[in-house]
Amino acid sequence: MPVRVLMVCLGNICRSPLAEGILTSKTSPELVIVDSAGTAGYHVGNPPDPRSVEVAASHGVDISRQRCRRFSPADFDNFDYIFAMDRENLIHLQGLARNARDLEKVSLLLKTAEMPEEEVPDPYYGGEDGFLAVYRMIDRATDQLLESLLGR
Ligand code: 4NP
């Protein structure tokens, strides 16, 4: 049985689509199933932000076919691990948890990946360099995450 991983940010157009695309590019669906969602519904149905699509493409990762969706409590049943990009997303997800089992599934991506930073900063209102920094951070985090997930 593959491990099922859900990446969550606020809008599901900048950070979590990158996290989905980068982790997907490093594994196979027989081992890890990856999806992403947003805690907010502003952009439902839209493709990722062009700056995320661009920085991913420049690293050989195609996220252009992803479409934004909002996190739903049913995701607690459909995923083994739910990774929040920042504390605000984490608190939102914890508030939606229906029981202790749901709560256990939720954590900060960078904390679980044992990175020095805690949060993947929201790059939406910044420039292109913010998207590159986010890409690099998630790239390192997903390397470490895969080791711990598949080493179970
Ligand atoms: P994300 O970034 O949570 O990484 O997808 C954002 C995208 C959109 C907005 C905020 C953050 N927004 O306010 O529309």
Side-chain angles (χ1 to χ4, degrees):
M1 284 281 283
V3 185
R4 299 163 301 170
V5 172
L6 183 66
M7 301 292 192
V8 178
C9 62
L10 175 64
N12 190 215
I13 57 166
C14 299
R15 291 166 291 178
S16 60
L18 282 173
E20 176 187 341
I22 294 168
L23 183 57
T24 301
S25 76
K26 295 178 181 182
T27 184
S28 72
E30 294 81 51
L31 293 176
V32 186
I33 291 184
V34 195
D35 193 10
S36 66
T39 56
Y42 320 127
H43 303 280
V44 169
N46 293 347
D49 187 286
R51 295 166 293 178
S52 282
V53 174
E54 171 72 31
V55 76
S58 74
H59 291 83
V61 175
D62 180 10
I63 64 166
S64 65
R65 287 185 299 272
Q66 291 184 30
R67 290 296 175 267
C68 173
R69 74 174 181 88
R70 191 170 194 181
F71 180 85
S72 140
D75 289 318
F76 286 117
D77 301 322
N78 296 331
F79 293 91
D80 303 306
Y81 296 94
I82 299 172
F83 293 119
M85 297 298 125
D86 65 32
R87 274 186 221 99
E88 189 184 308
N89 313 145
L90 179 74
I91 289 164
H92 193 130
L93 292 169
Q94 287 169 336
L96 293 173
R98 303 155 301 180
N99 51 47
R101 198 164 167 270
D102 288 356
L103 262 184
E104 263 176 27
K105 296 185 174 187
V106 183
S107 66
L108 283 172
L109 172 67
L110 299 188
K111 246 188 165 175
T112 304
E114 296 179 15
M115 298 269 292
E117 307 90 340
E118 281 218 328
E119 303 188 294
V120 181
D122 182 351
Y124 187 64
Y125 294 106
E128 313 271 334
D129 50 340
F131 283 76
L132 181 58
V134 162
Y135 187 97
R136 289 180 172 157
M137 212 177 230
I138 294 173
D139 192 24
R140 270 186 289 135
T142 48
D143 277 345
Q144 292 180 207
L145 188 68
L146 265 184
E147 266 184 40
S148 62
L149 285 184
L150 301 180
R152 289 182 312 163

